[in-house]
Amino acid sequence: MSNLEREAAPSLCGGRGFVVAEPVRELLSPRHVKLGESSEVRRLLPNLGRRMVGAWCFVDHYGPDDIADEPGMQVPPHPHMGLQTVSWLHEGEVLHRDSTGSLQTIRPRELGLMTSGRAISHSEESPRSHARFLHGAQLWVALPDGHRHSDPRFEHHADLPVVTAPGIKATLILGDLDGATSPGTAYTPITGADLALTRGADVRLPLEPDFEYAVLSMSGEAHVDGVPVLPGSMLYLGCGRTELPLRAESDAGLMLLGGEPFEEELIMFWNWIGRSQEEIVQARRDWMEGSRFGEVKGYDGAPLPAPELPPTPLKPRGRVR
């Protein structure tokens, strides 16, 4: 999935200036964003009050949507640079195509991980024959400077590590959790995990005190460190925690996102992450001229045009609130 807004605005993010160095409970409300003619997502990052959580810099939650008589997800070819995309489903399927030649159907609790490096383009769509419901999250991870010009690649991991305890099943998406390590390639100290809680669960999840964390609610009724977090909202937790209390009033699905606070200052505009105005201008020119980002073959439709750049210069800055 992509940022499809036609009036794209730059997000100034990164740097440790606004990292909360102690445990907090900051509830983030989503911004509702239209994708195409019929789909709507709840955008949690970037947020007015919070730009990043570790290297996680973009979070969309969508569904559950009844698409039995609809085409479902239809995201035309579009470019990325300087980031990784993480596709995560609870229901449905997404067909991924990209300019490296990858063609992969992603199913629930399988990891679709695309590393854009210097340049890639991709499309995402519901298969012609698809499940009735579509429910998932699309996330981006900012690449550090030493890896953002690397070759593009796509990974699909259907078999992911699972950490279990009474009342909880944690599927490790990216990074490390409680001694387990995801097979997905990570370039910064990071954690991404899918948490399935059973009704009545009352557990404590081990955390890294040097990481900052947030929890996205996917479904059900759960309390995170005593705070009720409704589906489609996210609780930012700050740093300094060694464990996280979780309690479920019903069967519930959560996503734990965390990582070492990202030190670099970034510019995020449309589907690109760069470090300077010149990089963003060049990326837009290359995409509109059909160079550098390659071609997505097999998608029935035209690529997305890039939005116009804002009239004011884009400057890399630290985290803003």
Side-chain angles (χ1 to χ4, degrees):
M1 193 170 295
S2 165
N3 181 1
L4 304 188
E5 292 182 276
R6 302 307 306 144
E7 300 296 329
S11 293
L12 308 171
C13 44
R16 292 194 177 212
F18 283 88
V19 173
V20 179
E22 60 184 7
V24 297
R25 301 173 185 86
E26 182 182 306
L27 191 62
L28 305 180
S29 298
R31 182 164 60 95
H32 294 265
V33 177
K34 280 284 189 182
L35 290 186
E37 296 181 0
S38 58
S39 298
E40 184 178 86
V41 302
R42 291 163 289 278
R43 184 153 299 161
L44 283 310
L45 286 181
N47 190 289
L48 181 62
R50 181 63 49 192
R51 296 299 183 185
M52 298 180 75
V53 178
W56 301 99
C57 61
F58 182 94
V59 177
D60 274 355
H61 173 248
Y62 56 91
D65 295 325
D66 188 341
I67 59 170
D69 300 317
E70 304 289 340
M73 183 183 292
Q74 298 294 323
V75 182
H78 57 278
H80 286 290
M81 76 172 188
L83 57 91
Q84 292 177 291
T85 65
V86 174
S87 299
W88 191 253
L89 289 168
H90 275 196
E91 295 180 90
E93 309 88 24
V94 171
L95 179 62
H96 166 96
R97 304 174 193 266
D98 67 43
S99 54
T100 71
S102 300
L103 176 64
Q104 179 65 54
T105 299
I106 303 167
R107 296 181 172 84
R109 293 176 173 83
E110 297 179 354
L111 173 60
L113 178 64
M114 186 180 75
T115 301
S116 68
R118 61 180 177 271
I120 200 172
S121 56
H122 74 139
S123 65
E124 293 169 295
E125 58 188 307
S126 296
R128 185 168 300 177
S129 177
H130 54 255
R132 176 177 178 178
F133 292 101
L134 181 64
H135 182 204
Q138 182 74 17
L139 312 99
W140 296 355
V141 179
L143 288 172
D145 190 62
H147 295 281
R148 67 191 185 96
H149 299 295
S150 61
D151 292 338
R153 58 182 295 194
F154 177 78
E155 302 171 44
H156 174 248
H157 300 284
D159 187 15
L160 295 168
V162 175
V163 177
T164 61
I168 185 171
K169 176 181 177 181
T171 302
L172 188 55
I173 301 169
L174 203 61
D176 301 280
L177 178 68
D178 197 25
T181 301
S182 167
T185 304
Y187 296 94
T188 58
I190 196 168
T191 292
D194 182 270
L195 310 178
L197 301 176
T198 58
R199 181 179 181 178
D202 192 349
V203 300
R204 291 179 176 268
L205 195 68
L207 300 181
E208 294 290 336
D210 291 338
F211 282 17
E212 59 177 340
Y213 289 95
V215 172
L216 168 67
S217 176
M218 299 286 286
S219 61
E221 300 179 43
H223 287 70
V224 180
D225 198 15
V227 179
V229 184
L230 299 177
S233 61
M234 188 163 72
L235 185 68
Y236 176 72
L237 297 163
C239 296
R241 296 173 181 269
T242 58
E243 60 181 15
L244 180 63
L246 301 170
R247 181 165 55 87
E249 303 298 323
S250 68
D251 290 351
L254 306 172
M255 292 188 73
L256 175 71
L257 306 175
E260 188 175 274
F262 198 81
E263 291 185 340
E264 298 176 38
E265 297 180 337
L266 312 174
I267 297 174
M268 188 165 72
F269 178 78
W270 198 40
N271 298 304
W272 301 305
I273 292 181
R275 303 298 191 275
S276 69
Q277 164 93 6
E278 291 72 23
E279 288 182 3
I280 301 298
V281 170
Q282 187 63 52
R284 186 184 186 281
R285 181 182 299 119
D286 290 345
W287 174 245
M288 296 301 287
E289 292 177 352
S291 62
R292 177 179 163 192
F293 290 94
E295 179 185 358
V296 178
K297 296 181 179 179
Y299 183 84
D300 186 16
L304 284 173
E308 295 293 332
L309 290 164
T312 55
L314 304 176
K315 296 181 180 179
R317 299 178 186 174
R319 294 168 182 262
V320 296
R321 300 190 57 153

